[in-house]
Amino acid sequence: QLYFLQELGLKPYHRVLEIGCGALVAGLPIITYLNSNNYTGIEPNKWLVDETYEVPENKIILDNKSPVFLCNLNFDASALTRKHDFILSHSVMSHASIQQLATFLKNTNNALESNGSLLFSLNLVDKLEDEEMSDEWLYPGSTCFHKDLALNLIKSYYKNVEIKEDFTKRIMNVHSTSIHSWVLAKQWT
């Protein structure tokens, strides 16, 4: 995921917000690449981040780079006074309801610099079956969004929206079960 962000222009001086950072599988390489104090993670399960700190090699990196972690369920970085150049979220919206997707889009839009980029994954389908929809968080399991409905919702928050099919193919070459659509959303064109 670091490589995707670099392809989109990520430099060490940029600020990155990762929503659903978990045990920092994607976060640690990003934190290592970035200058100190430039990574923020949001994770509702604080114990995942805490356990990452228990690995001595990870603790050294985290102590040197001083990332910030927030613990909430609403994808909300408003407690910070800074905005971010990039926001990344993988396999979070694949468990969310349409209402949670709207909250995610609203809060990421508020946390993103005007020239920033949001890159996230979710399950998009052309035809939606009733059992694929949910009115609440669904884990274990996953949710799907009707492609047109989801894209219209995303476009109500972001001016420029693109499905990055090449990102999906490249992720699937490494993780064949990670069948998510990657979406790039920006306020600028």
Side-chain angles (χ1 to χ4, degrees):
Q1 296 168 38
L2 169 62
Y3 299 125
F4 291 166
L5 293 176
Q6 288 173 320
E7 284 181 32
L8 298 174
L10 178 69
K11 302 292 183 210
Y13 56 83
H14 284 131
R15 290 182 304 273
V16 173
L17 170 62
E18 184 180 6
I19 296 178
C21 63
L24 302 178
V25 173
L28 276 171
I30 295 168
I31 292 166
T32 302
Y33 174 77
L34 293 174
N35 293 343
S36 293
N37 302 305
N38 282 359
Y39 175 92
T40 301
I42 294 178
E43 176 54 52
N45 299 302
K46 185 179 178 298
W47 64 270
L48 288 168
V49 175
D50 292 344
E51 285 192 4
T52 303
Y53 268 94
E54 292 178 17
V55 178
E57 297 84 6
N58 296 345
K59 185 171 178 7
I60 291 169
I61 294 168
L62 296 169
D63 286 347
N64 286 332
K65 293 291 188 156
S66 303
V68 174
F69 295 102
L70 302 173
C71 184
N72 67 64
L73 296 170
N74 296 319
F75 329 108
D76 186 5
S78 64
L80 305 174
T81 57
R82 63 183 182 182
K83 295 201 178 234
H84 299 82
D85 303 292
F86 292 90
I87 298 177
L88 172 69
S89 184
H90 176 51
S91 195
V92 173
M93 291 299 102
S94 57
H95 304 286
S97 68
I98 193 75
Q99 295 84 4
Q100 289 167 323
L101 176 60
T103 299
F104 170 84
L105 294 167
K106 180 184 117 201
N107 288 340
T108 56
N109 192 19
N110 291 336
L112 195 62
E113 291 284 1
S114 61
N115 62 345
S117 297
L118 165 65
L119 180 65
F120 70 104
S121 66
L122 73 168
N123 296 320
L124 295 176
V125 294
D126 291 321
K127 184 178 179 193
L128 192 61
E129 304 295 330
D130 286 342
E131 63 270 9
E132 295 174 317
M133 298 186 314
S134 178
D135 291 332
E136 57 189 35
W137 186 258
L138 184 62
Y139 188 88
S142 62
T143 57
C144 295
F145 297 98
H146 188 276
K147 186 177 182 178
D148 293 337
L149 175 68
L151 290 176
N152 284 336
L153 180 60
I154 298 164
K155 288 176 183 175
S156 72
Y157 289 93
Y158 292 93
K159 293 178 185 172
N160 186 350
V161 177
E162 176 184 357
I163 297 175
K164 302 294 285 181
E165 293 177 12
D166 57 318
F167 286 12
T168 300
K169 290 176 187 172
R170 288 166 43 202
I171 287 279
M172 286 182 62
N173 284 337
V174 180
H175 303 285
S176 61
T177 59
S178 190
I179 309 170
H180 298 100
S181 297
W182 282 88
V183 176
L184 175 63
K186 302 182 278 191
Q187 284 297 7
W188 51 282
T189 54

